[in-house]
């Protein structure tokens, strides 16, 4: 089968609303390499949109899923529970950066985790309001679209959205939004839109994903935590993309001097299997009544088995440390390209959560056109890259943290050539 033939079938069989980036079709994958149906090889710096921190088909993950497959594939945890769900919850509870005892519930997708975090926050506080941030991305369901701070393409034509959702500014040096500006925008919401004693939660990504890998400053996080404590508001950290060793720590919130009340996670949690989770302070997590949380496939046993293996891989292969080492090498390569690539406006990094933002050197305006050129040049050379950012002018690098050193160096060469084309 040829890629163009499959693409014709795709256009006939699936709706245009499912946007597809690549014009080739995957046949197999191993660690950081993809092969398409025509045998072409691609270095994968997309990793299923940050899902494969432990790489494609890590042997431990494959073995864990195979073992579970021979036991049972589904019971619905709420009907017939199983020990592995409890074990994974215990392991995450011991690691999640919240104050005091923690509890964890499992779901299937990142959006589902975010929605359940909002449910939990509302059940605990008995309040309706939620504040999120411009540039944030939290999912494609009605509630998570309302929370998402980016219109195109996620929110176009899908309104009206659920109410009692408000958006503040997120600190962003390139866009000249300071910590003070961002905190002042929260104060304006309290004065103009909703009283703070009606706000259940403030939801933020410690490093915005789709927003362009924008990293929250510690003084901003301290300011938000102070506001939450002052007004009895819960702080929810959306770590769907930033979690599981991507930033050089298991959770990005470990880089900060404050702790959230709830954390959402998904993507690399289960090495490519569909699994998400909400973890948080035990008293908060216990607020919903029995039956208020769950889902038919929530905490699927195959995904749970995979997630237990992922934690072992992260620890045994020291992927948090490797994340820092790889991130430093990539940042050095990007900064070395600055002299010959005037389009580079900023390089941002926390561990291996690395991005480069492009602006027109003449006007200073965001340059999605140059971003697309870099992507296309890299793909032609065999390297798959993803863009992001409110203006589509940022490239993010989501290589598996298990990528072999020689392949990583090859990818850095391609990136350097693509930036100086």
């Amino acid at each position: 089968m040829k890629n163009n033939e499959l693409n014709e079938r795709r256009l006939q069989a699936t709706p245009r609303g499912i946007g597809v980036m690549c014009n080739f079709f995957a046949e197999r994958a191993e660690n950081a390499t993809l092969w398409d149906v025509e045998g072409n090889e691609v270095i994968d710096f997309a990793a299923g949109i940050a899902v494969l921190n432990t790489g494609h088909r890590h042997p431990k993950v494959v073995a864990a899923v195979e073992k579970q497959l021979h036991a049972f594939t589904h019971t619905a945890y709420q009907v017939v529970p199983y020990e592995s769900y409890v074990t994974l919850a215990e392991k995450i509870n011991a690691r999640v950066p919240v104050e005091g005892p923690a509890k964890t519930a499992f779901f299937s997708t990142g959006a589902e985790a975010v929605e359940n975090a909002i449910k939990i926050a509302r059940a605990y506080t008995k309040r309706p309001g939620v504040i999120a941030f411009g540039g944030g991305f939290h999912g494609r369901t009605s509630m998570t679209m309302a929370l998402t701070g980016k219109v195109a393409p996620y929110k176009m034509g899908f309104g009206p959205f659920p109410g009692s959702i408000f958006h503040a500014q997120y600190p962003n040096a390139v866009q000249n939004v300071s910590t003070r500006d961002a905190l002042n925008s929260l104060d304006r919401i309290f004065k103009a839109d909703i009283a703070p004693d009606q706000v259940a939660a403030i939801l933020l990504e410690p490093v915005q994903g789709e927003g362009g890998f924008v990293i929250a400053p510690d003084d901003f996080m301290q300011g938000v935590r102070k506001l939450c404590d002052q007004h009895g508001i819960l702080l929810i950290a959306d770590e769907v993309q930033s979690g599981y060793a991507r930033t050089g720590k298991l959770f990005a919130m470990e880089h900060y001097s404050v702790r959230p009340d709830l954390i959402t996670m998904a993507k690399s949690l289960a090495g490519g299997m569909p699994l998400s989770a909400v973890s948080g302070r035990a008293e908060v997590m216990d607020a919903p009544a029995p039956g208020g949380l769950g889902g038919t496939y929530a905490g699927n046993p195959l995904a749970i088995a995979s997630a237990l293996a992922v934690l072992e891989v992260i620890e045994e292969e020291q992927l948090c440390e490797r994340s820092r080492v790889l991130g430093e090498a990539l940042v050095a390569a990007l900064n070395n390209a600055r002299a010959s690539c005037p389009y580079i406006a900023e390089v941002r990094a926390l561990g291996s959560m690395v991005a480069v933002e492009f602006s027109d050197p003449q006007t200073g305006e965001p340059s999605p056109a140059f971003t697309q050129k870099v992507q296309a040049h890299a793909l032609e050379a065999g390297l798959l890259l993803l863009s992001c950012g409110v203006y589509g002018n940022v490239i993010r690098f989501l290589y598996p943290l298990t990528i072999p050193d020689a392949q990583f160096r090859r990818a850095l060469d391609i990136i350097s050539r693509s930036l100086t084309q």
Side-chain angles (χ1 to χ4, degrees):
M1 186 63 67
K2 299 292 185 182
N3 285 311
N4 60 351
E5 294 170 352
L6 285 170
N7 199 48
E8 285 299 317
R9 288 170 56 189
R10 176 185 72 83
L11 294 172
Q12 294 299 317
T14 63
R16 69 189 185 101
I18 302 173
V20 175
M21 173 183 160
C22 294
N23 62 2
F24 59 87
F25 287 72
E27 183 173 67
R28 61 190 177 94
E30 190 78 24
N31 201 355
T33 307
L34 281 167
W35 289 269
D36 73 5
V37 294
E38 297 177 11
N40 299 305
E41 182 179 312
V42 177
I43 302 173
D44 187 4
F45 268 40
I49 316 179
V51 168
L52 300 164
N53 288 355
T54 52
H56 290 276
R57 299 179 61 252
H58 192 286
K60 271 188 171 287
V61 169
V62 171
V65 174
E66 285 181 344
K67 181 179 179 181
Q68 182 61 49
L69 189 62
H70 289 291
F72 59 92
T73 61
H74 179 73
T75 65
Y77 179 78
Q78 309 94 288
V79 179
V80 180
Y82 30 93
E83 182 269 343
S84 57
Y85 184 114
V86 177
T87 298
L88 182 60
E90 289 170 340
K91 288 180 179 293
I92 291 174
N93 294 341
R95 292 165 172 80
V96 73
V98 299
E99 295 293 341
K103 290 190 175 183
T104 296
F106 296 108
F107 306 97
S108 300
T109 69
E112 197 179 359
V114 171
E115 289 220 10
N116 278 280
I118 300 302
K119 286 167 58 178
I120 293 164
R122 285 174 167 170
Y124 179 77
T125 63
K126 306 295 189 291
R127 301 173 179 183
V130 180
I131 299 174
F133 290 86
F137 178 83
H138 302 287
R140 291 179 171 89
T141 61
S142 288
M143 170 59 79
T144 54
M145 277 192 295
L147 294 164
T148 290
K150 182 179 179 181
V151 173
Y154 306 115
K155 302 169 79 164
M156 294 172 63
F158 295 130
F161 302 111
S164 298
I165 307 295
F166 307 92
H167 288 89
Q169 288 184 295
Y170 192 91
N172 189 320
V174 173
Q175 296 177 16
N176 296 313
V177 179
S178 68
T179 288
R180 178 47 50 196
D181 294 332
L183 294 174
N184 285 343
S185 73
L186 285 165
D187 190 56
R188 284 194 294 274
I189 288 173
F190 292 152
K191 287 181 167 57
D193 297 311
I194 187 171
D197 65 4
Q198 292 300 301
V199 176
I202 295 177
L203 169 70
L204 57 76
E205 297 164 279
V207 184
Q208 288 194 331
E210 291 291 323
F213 282 21
V214 182
I215 304 163
D218 190 66
D219 60 348
F220 169 70
M221 202 69 79
Q222 290 182 43
V224 174
R225 179 74 267 180
K226 182 178 179 181
L227 280 174
C228 288
D229 292 341
Q230 180 181 349
H231 299 294
I233 299 168
L234 296 180
L235 176 58
I236 305 174
D238 182 342
E239 293 236 31
V240 167
Q241 188 160 173
S242 62
Y244 271 66
R246 175 54 54 180
T247 67
K249 294 184 181 291
L250 191 62
F251 297 100
M253 286 303 300
E254 294 179 72
H255 291 279
Y256 295 95
S257 58
V258 300
R259 297 287 178 260
D261 301 292
L262 296 167
I263 295 181
T264 63
M265 62 198 83
K267 291 193 181 285
S268 282
L269 169 63
M273 298 294 286
L275 185 70
S276 64
V278 181
S279 295
R281 293 195 288 120
E283 63 175 310
V284 176
M285 292 293 294
D286 278 338
L293 303 177
T296 301
Y297 295 105
N300 172 268
L302 296 172
I304 293 283
S306 181
L308 286 166
V310 164
L311 279 177
E312 289 183 14
V313 172
I314 289 173
E315 292 178 1
E316 291 173 4
E317 300 186 18
Q318 299 181 317
L319 293 189
C320 287
E321 175 59 27
R322 182 156 177 78
S323 172
R324 293 189 286 269
V325 171
L326 294 175
E328 288 170 2
L330 175 54
V331 167
L334 293 171
N335 283 328
N336 286 340
R338 279 179 178 269
S340 48
C341 183
Y343 280 86
I344 296 177
E346 186 174 53
V347 175
R348 296 186 286 272
L350 193 60
S352 275
M353 201 161 185
V354 182
V356 57
E357 181 160 349
F358 301 111
S359 297
D360 189 293
Q362 303 300 320
T363 66
E365 294 296 312
S367 183
F370 184 79
T371 306
Q372 292 164 12
K373 283 177 63 178
V374 172
Q375 270 186 294
H377 191 279
L379 189 56
E380 186 179 347
L383 176 65
L384 179 61
L385 299 175
L386 290 180
S387 62
C388 61
V390 175
Y391 301 100
N393 67 320
V394 179
I395 286 179
R396 52 182 159 170
F397 303 92
L398 290 168
Y399 44 84
L401 303 176
T402 51
I403 185 171
D405 289 338
Q407 189 178 35
F408 188 70
R409 288 193 296 270
R410 207 158 63 242
L412 294 188
D413 289 341
I414 294 172
I415 291 166
S416 297
R417 293 198 305 271
S418 299
L419 290 171
T420 56
Q421 58 189 292

